[in-house]
Amino acid sequence: MQDLPSRQEAGQGAGHATSAAPRPMAGRRSGPLRGAARVPGDKSISHRALMFGALAIGTTRIDGLLEGEDVLRTAAAMRAMGAEVVRAGDGSWRISGVGVGGLGEPEDILDMGNAGTGTRLVMGLVASHPMTAIFTGDASLRRRPMERVAAPLRLIGARFQGRSGGRLPMAVTGTAEPVPIAYRLPVPSAQVKSAVLLAGLNAPGRTTVIEAEATRDHTERMLRHFGASVSVSRAADGTTIVLEGQPELRARDVVVPGDPSSAAFPAVAGLIVAGSEVRLKGVGINALRTGLFDTLREMGAAIAHESLREEGGEPVADLAIRAGKLKGITVPASRAPSMIDEYPILAVAAACAEGRTVMHGLAELRVKESDRLSAMATGLAACGAQVVVDGDTLIVEGRGRPPRGGATIATALDHRIAMSFLVLGLVTDAPVTIDDSGPIATSFPDFVPLMRGLGADIGDA
Ligand code: S3P
């Protein structure tokens, strides 16, 4: 077993956002996409697997870990806090944990790169340990709001000192005497829910989180998988999650399913490039993540689930995708939590559909890796699509054929904006160029070779 350096330690990649020269890339009109591909491991589950492995007694084995830059930052943070984190092979990692309450103070600043999930969840861990950790990140992460996790974690006893507006760099001082809290989420956010639950692991008694709208439940599932006691009750006014504090977590094996948020890009490409037939293997189909696929089906898409199975406590299937005509629909705000990361690529599908697509309830898109609402509206308009933003609603007028393309898109350190516009370029008359493909490595390092393998014409601009 070899302790390979992460890419950022090797001085490659992860610093791109602040240091490496931007690398423009273009998507060009392509013939039918054909073939099968395996998308990388789920980013949300990969972060959590590393954190639970770091807290469990014994050696946790993770297979299918996403080796994207965000997740490598979390691996480095867990190492800095005392866990032994070893890469044993492609996507195969071993973590020897320290036990609940056993994390140590990192000696240096934790540079979390572009990783919002990594930052907010690790803040939860720090909050209930007597230590100080200082967080920073790239220009995108330093713009993102951290007060949403600081607010509940202060109630537990942690202290926060950051820049104005609750932004990084930020020092978090955890408490030796964490108080178990009951917290109602003011925004639907799995990151905030998870930060509170992770802090609650080292608090005596019961920590409760109430969410009005159900968000992804990977933390709850993984808590149980590692031996914690978690109860979930659903009622008309929301879901209540109760965690019994200070459990003994035991090392477990984790198989990370393919990321539906990454599958979204080749899936939409397969739907809009005429004549395509694409199969995506081993994709997670947790119902709290699959809003995009439900929406695309309502638009008329042919997406079949094949070989349904369960892996590592998560439902998984192969997706069989066939190109065809899409029609515009209205997507209700209630669906946003189950597809929050997928609106950029849905907007691309909508721009190629026949008729109007109305997407409600997108306020959270403004605080992602970039302001995705304005990035999509501006980029699609530059490509010739008719787009309107009305408050937190995005309206795309589809003309039954792709917009003309021919624009250069500012990706603003946002991997999903970058991939969305490369996919759009596969169907436009003129290529669509992105100003920097570097951010794609955040979540989907092999996006370009995978898409090329299916027949997509994506390459240097
Ligand atoms: C994530 C939750 C979502 C999502 C992010 C991953 C998670 O963020 O956008 O990519 O792993 O918990 P919010 O909690 O801010 O909605």
Side-chain angles (χ1 to χ4, degrees), residues 48 52 121 190 193-194 197-198 216-224 230:
R48 287 159 172 82
F52 281 104
L121 270 56
K193 168 175 69 176
S194 302
L197 292 172
L198 288 171
R216 65 191 70 193
D217 61 354
H218 306 303
T219 300
E220 297 90 305
R221 285 172 186 253
M222 211 174 281
L223 277 165
R224 288 207 185 101
V230 185

Side-chain angles (χ1 to χ4, degrees), residues 57-343:
I57 302 284
T59 300
T60 287
R61 176 190 157 135
I62 309 173
D63 284 302
L65 189 87
L66 167 64
E67 293 176 328
E69 289 174 356
D70 273 18
V71 173
L72 297 180
R73 298 287 182 166
T74 291
M78 292 301 97
R79 231 180 246 143
M81 292 165 75
E84 199 184 305
V85 182
V86 175
R87 185 179 190 268
D90 269 2
S92 183
W93 291 62
R94 307 283 176 272
I95 324 293
S96 300
V98 295
V100 169
L103 292 171
E105 184 171 88
E107 279 182 19
D108 204 346
I109 293 170
L110 299 176
D111 181 350
M112 301 304 289
N114 193 250
T117 306
T119 302
R120 293 181 175 135
L121 270 56
V122 175
M123 283 181 171
L125 292 175
V126 171
S128 57
H129 284 77
M131 62 160 101
T132 294
I134 301 161
F135 294 82
T136 193
D138 71 7
S140 155
L141 190 61
R142 281 184 272 117
R143 278 192 295 266
R144 298 183 68 186
M146 295 298 152
E147 181 56 28
R148 53 179 56 198
V149 280
L153 297 176
R154 264 190 218 107
L155 303 174
I156 290 172
R159 285 176 294 132
F160 291 76
Q161 189 131 39
R163 287 195 307 132
S164 58
R167 303 196 193 232
L168 303 187
M170 184 175 268
V172 183
T173 300
T175 174
E177 290 174 3
V179 179
I181 60 167
Y183 191 70
R184 180 177 276 275
L185 294 183
V187 282
S189 166
Q191 293 179 359
V192 178
K193 168 175 69 176
S194 302
V196 173
L197 292 172
L198 288 171
L201 271 175
N202 197 32
R206 291 181 174 168
T207 292
T208 303
V209 181
I210 305 139
E211 51 180 8
E213 295 161 88
T215 64
R216 65 191 70 193
D217 61 354
H218 306 303
T219 300
E220 297 90 305
R221 285 172 186 253
M222 211 174 281
L223 277 165
R224 288 207 185 101
H225 186 61
F226 278 82
S229 161
V230 185
S231 73
V232 177
S233 47
R234 292 193 175 80
D237 64 339
T239 303
T240 301
I241 301 133
V242 181
L243 167 70
E244 301 286 344
Q246 299 182 323
E248 191 169 287
L249 299 184
R250 294 251 160 227
R252 296 295 306 267
D253 289 351
V254 179
V255 179
V256 181
D259 196 328
S261 299
S262 296
F265 299 100
V268 168
L271 292 172
I272 62 176
V273 178
S276 298
E277 272 188 49
V278 170
R279 180 178 300 269
L280 301 170
K281 292 193 200 144
V283 180
I285 52 162
N286 180 322
L288 295 168
R289 295 288 301 281
T290 50
L292 172 74
F293 297 112
D294 301 336
T295 302
L296 289 169
R297 282 197 194 94
E298 284 175 23
M299 294 172 79
I303 305 173
H305 284 167
E306 295 176 355
S307 308
L308 261 84
R309 55 208 186 264
E310 196 165 299
E311 280 175 9
E314 294 276 350
V316 165
D318 298 342
L319 304 185
I321 288 135
R322 209 165 357 93
K325 292 234 169 297
L326 299 177
K327 61 176 196 309
I329 60 160
T330 293
V331 188
S334 57
R335 200 173 288 168
S338 68
M339 56 177 295
I340 193 66
D341 292 333
E342 281 66 76
Y343 284 99

